[in-house]
């Protein structure tokens, strides 16, 4: 099985192990020397490190576990939710988002469509509604998908935009509430 592992991955994992467990590595090994090793030299170094760890504590198997996880990472996450819980959370969160988006759109329509509703206080409420609408439609849905799947499938550009929208909408809400309190 070790023969199937690429020499670069083996060297990188060994280098990580030497950096993580420096007390186990025999002296004279550093980053530049490990990258020049061949497969048998790397395996010999790992064997020496495992033997040293067993001499210190026979029950200690942390170096072996570290190398196993580094070379053959597990494909499933330990904190992944079962599909039943994902479905329940999706329904609850979907209902909350539907109420938030619908309610904020109604506030927008009421203030903008009716002339007598255009007061200073209602403009502040309109600003709060716009900030909440931005947060619920452009941020919450994507973050919820990320939390359910433990993966961000939307790319690095939207990750930056998503964080920007979250910060701007929260700041707009807070500053609007401050403005409302000064107005009162």
């Amino acid at each position: 099985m070790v023969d199937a592992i690429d020499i670069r991955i083996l060297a990188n994992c060994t280098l990580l192990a030497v950096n993580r467990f420096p007390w186990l590595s025999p002296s004279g090994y550093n980053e530049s020397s490990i990258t020049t090793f061949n497969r048998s030299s790397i395996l010999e170094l790992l064997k020496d490190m495992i033997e040293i760890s067993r001499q210190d504590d026979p029950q200690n198997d942390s170096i072996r576990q570290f190398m196993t996880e580094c070379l053959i990472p597990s494909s499933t996450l330990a904190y992944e939710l079962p599909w039943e819980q994902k479905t329940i959370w999706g329904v609850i969160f979907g209902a909350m988002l539907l109420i938030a988006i619908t309610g904020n759109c109604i506030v927008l329509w009421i203030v903008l469509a009716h002339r007598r509703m255009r007061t200073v206080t209602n403009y502040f409420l309109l600003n709060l509604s716009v900030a909440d609408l931005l947060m619920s439609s452009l941020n919450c849905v994507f973050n919820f998908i990320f939390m359910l799947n433990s993966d961000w499938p939307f790319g690095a550009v939207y990750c930056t935009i998503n964080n920007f929208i979250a910060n701007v909408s929260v700041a707009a809400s807070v500053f609007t509430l401050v403005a409302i309190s000064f107005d009162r």
Side-chain angles (χ1 to χ4, degrees), residues 33-123:
S33 66
I34 291 174
T35 55
T36 61
F37 282 0
N38 61 14
R39 184 179 300 276
S40 60
S41 300
I42 292 173
L43 293 176
E44 188 66 32
L45 171 63
L46 289 173
K47 183 178 142 210
D48 291 344
M49 289 177 71
I50 290 171
E51 287 177 7
I52 292 171
S53 73
R54 288 209 175 135
Q55 289 171 359
D56 292 344
D57 182 10
Q59 301 299 322
N60 189 3
D61 207 20
S62 58
I63 181 90
R64 185 178 289 216
Q65 290 172 353
F66 176 80
M67 287 303 294
T68 301
E69 185 62 32
C70 183
L71 293 172
I72 310 163
S74 61
S75 60
T76 59
L77 300 172
Y79 49 86
E80 189 172 357
L81 294 174
W83 69 270
E84 298 92 358
Q85 286 181 350
K86 284 183 180 181
T87 304
I88 291 169
W89 281 114
V91 168
I92 292 170
F93 193 77
M96 288 182 350
L97 277 180
L98 181 68
I99 291 169
I101 291 172
T102 305
N104 286 311
C105 286
I106 290 172
V107 169
L108 286 172
W109 175 73
I110 287 173
V111 172
L112 295 177
H114 301 89
R115 279 203 180 281
R116 65 179 169 46
M117 296 301 291
R118 296 181 187 172
T119 64
V120 173
T121 304
N122 286 345
Y123 280 133

Side-chain angles (χ1 to χ4, degrees), residues 168-184:
V168 166
S169 60
V170 168
S173 296
V174 169
F175 291 137
T176 302
L177 290 172
V178 168
I180 289 172
S181 66
F182 281 138
D183 184 51
R184 291 285 157 187

Side-chain angles (χ1 to χ4, degrees), residues 142 145-147 149-156 158:
F142 302 100
I145 291 170
F146 170 68
M147 285 186 282
N149 299 326
S150 302
D151 182 42
W152 183 263
F154 308 110
Y158 193 72

